Amino acid sequence: MTIKDVAALAGVSKGAVSLAFNRKPGLADATRDRIFAAARQLGWAPNLAARSLSSQRVDVVGLAICRPAKQLGLEPFYMEFISGVESVLTERSCSLLLRLVRNLEEEVGLQDAWWRGRQVSGSILVDFRADDPRVAAVGRLGVPVVAVGHPSLTGGLTSVWTDDATAVTEAVRYLAALGHRRIARVGGAAALGHTAIRTAAFDQVARELRLAGAWQVATDFSGEAGARATRSLLTGARGDRPTAIVYDNDIMAVAGLAVAAEMGVRVPEEVSLLAWDDSQLCRLTRPTLSAMSHDVYGFGAEVGRTLFGVIAGDGEVGVSHPVATPVLVPRGSTATAP
C-alpha cells in the first residue's frame, strides 16, 4: 500500500494525506479523520526514514544501551532517563529507536548501519569507557550525536553530564560529619567511565578525611550483585565492618537494605545506607532510603534538546553541558555512627 492508495480511498490528493500525517494546518477536521480512517483500513503508515530524507525532518533518534534486557527493565535510572528523552521527541513528533547491544563493537556496527541506511537523524551515546571506540566511529561517519558523559571521556563530542565526583565527595563528607569513620561504597561496573570517576573521588575524600576504613566493591549494578556485596561487607566482626554504605544505584541500595534485615543488622542504628538517583524506590522502603538525588527525567529531556540543537546546527558542536550535581536528601536510612 502507498500514499496514493490512501489518497484514492479517502477521496483526497496525496498532498492532503501528507498534511494530515505531518499534522500541518490546511485540512478540515472531517477530512483529516477520513484520511486517518483510510490509512487504518489499508494498514498504511508513513515511512519515517524516507520522510526524513525528503523533507530534512528529524524523525528518528537512536539510542543503544549495553545492558542485559532483564536488568535494564528493572533499572529506575534508564526508565526515567528515556521518559525524559521521549518527552522532547513527542513535542517534535519524533520516535526513539532503542536497541540493546552486547558490547561496544556491536554498537559501533549498529551506528554505522543506522547512519548509512538513513534510519536515524542522530544518536544518543551512553555509558562511556576510557578510550571509547565510538568517539572515532561517529566522527568518521559524521553522525550528529550527544554524548552522556564527562568531557574527559567523550573525546570532544557535545556532551551532557552530571558532576559525579562532587556528589561522591558530598556523600562521604556527610556520613563522616555524622561520625562514621568506616565507610564503604558498592559501585557499578569498573570499566565504565563514570564508575571510575566515582571511585577516584571516593579514594581521594577517604584519604583527606583519614577514615579508619574505606571499602569499594565493583558490581554489575544488579540487585543480586548489590546484595552479595552488602553481605560480604557486613559479615566481618562488628569493629571491622563499615558503619555506612554508599550505593551507585537505587536497586542495589534496596537489595542492601533487605540483606541487612536478613542478617539482623539494624538500619540506621548499626549501619547507615545511602542510595543514588533517588527514584520512587527510595521512598517505598522502611526505613526510607537517604539518596543522592537529581532530576533524571529532566536530565533526559536536556539530552534530547541538546541533540536537536546539534542536528539543526543551532548549538556549537563539542560544547560540554554540565546539568547538575546530585544533591543529598537525608531520610530514615542514615543516622549518627553507632
Side-chain angles (χ1 to χ4, degrees):
M1 293 298 169
T2 67
I3 190 173
K4 183 178 179 181
D5 299 312
V6 175
L9 182 60
V12 298
S13 67
K14 291 193 297 182
V17 176
S18 179
L19 287 175
F21 276 90
N22 283 298
R23 303 185 184 281
K24 292 185 177 179
L27 293 176
D29 289 342
T31 303
R32 194 181 303 272
D33 290 343
R34 192 166 72 249
I35 291 170
F36 288 151
R40 285 194 299 271
Q41 182 178 334
L42 295 173
W44 179 86
N47 184 312
L48 294 181
R51 195 169 81 186
S52 180
L53 280 173
S54 63
S55 65
Q56 300 301 306
R57 284 171 52 90
V58 179
D59 288 311
V60 182
V61 167
L63 171 62
I65 302 177
C66 186
R67 300 282 178 94
K70 183 178 179 181
Q71 180 182 330
L72 186 67
L74 297 172
E75 175 57 74
F77 173 85
Y78 269 117
M79 295 303 98
E80 291 188 40
F81 175 79
I82 290 171
S83 295
V85 173
E86 284 278 18
S87 71
V88 175
L89 299 187
T90 300
E91 292 173 358
R92 293 165 169 80
S93 299
C94 297
S95 300
L96 180 68
L97 180 55
L98 174 65
R99 283 281 298 275
L100 303 186
V101 295
R102 291 165 294 183
N103 51 54
L104 291 186
E105 289 69 29
E106 183 178 346
E107 184 179 345
V108 167
L110 179 65
Q111 294 291 349
D112 186 285
W114 277 351
W115 186 244
R116 293 184 188 279
R118 296 297 187 266
Q119 297 179 61
V120 300
S121 300
S123 287
I124 297 168
L125 306 182
V126 298
D127 285 344
F128 274 79
R129 276 79 162 171
D131 301 318
D132 199 295
R134 293 173 295 177
V135 174
V138 297
R140 183 175 61 253
L141 290 168
V143 186
V145 300
V146 167
V148 180
H150 191 273
S152 64
L153 302 166
T154 56
L157 298 175
T158 299
S159 61
V160 180
W161 52 284
T162 56
D163 191 348
D164 289 315
T166 299
V168 167
T169 301
E170 180 185 352
V172 176
R173 288 190 180 279
Y174 164 72
L175 293 169
L178 292 177
H180 293 278
R181 305 301 300 163
R182 301 191 304 277
I183 302 174
R185 170 176 163 265
V186 177
L192 293 176
H194 67 269
T195 297
I197 288 172
R198 295 181 190 184
T199 299
F202 184 93
D203 282 339
Q204 181 175 339
V205 70
R207 287 193 301 268
E208 291 174 357
L209 296 173
R210 298 182 180 180
L211 297 180
W215 299 260
Q216 295 202 73
V217 183
T219 72
D220 62 2
F221 289 109
S222 69
E224 293 82 0
R228 284 194 300 271
T230 304
R231 191 172 289 109
S232 175
L233 289 167
L234 296 180
T235 51
R238 182 162 181 167
D240 294 324
R241 70 190 189 197
T243 61
I245 305 175
V246 181
Y247 295 87
D248 266 21
N249 71 2
D250 294 347
I251 292 178
M252 294 195 296
V254 171
L257 181 61
V259 167
E262 167 199 313
M263 297 178 65
V265 179
R266 294 173 300 156
V267 177
E269 291 83 0
E270 295 179 82
V271 63
S272 289
L273 305 182
L274 182 61
W276 204 280
D277 295 329
D278 196 23
S279 71
Q280 285 293 326
L281 287 177
C282 293
R283 291 176 284 282
L284 295 175
T285 59
R286 289 294 179 270
T288 53
L289 285 165
S290 298
M292 299 306 297
S293 179
H294 62 121
D295 182 1
V296 178
Y297 179 92
F299 182 57
E302 179 62 23
V303 169
R305 286 190 290 268
T306 302
L307 178 59
F308 279 107
V310 172
I311 293 171
D314 296 336
E316 185 180 348
V317 175
V319 170
S320 167
H321 298 269
V323 173
T325 301
V327 176
L328 194 145
V329 178
R331 295 196 184 95
S333 68
T334 52
T336 55

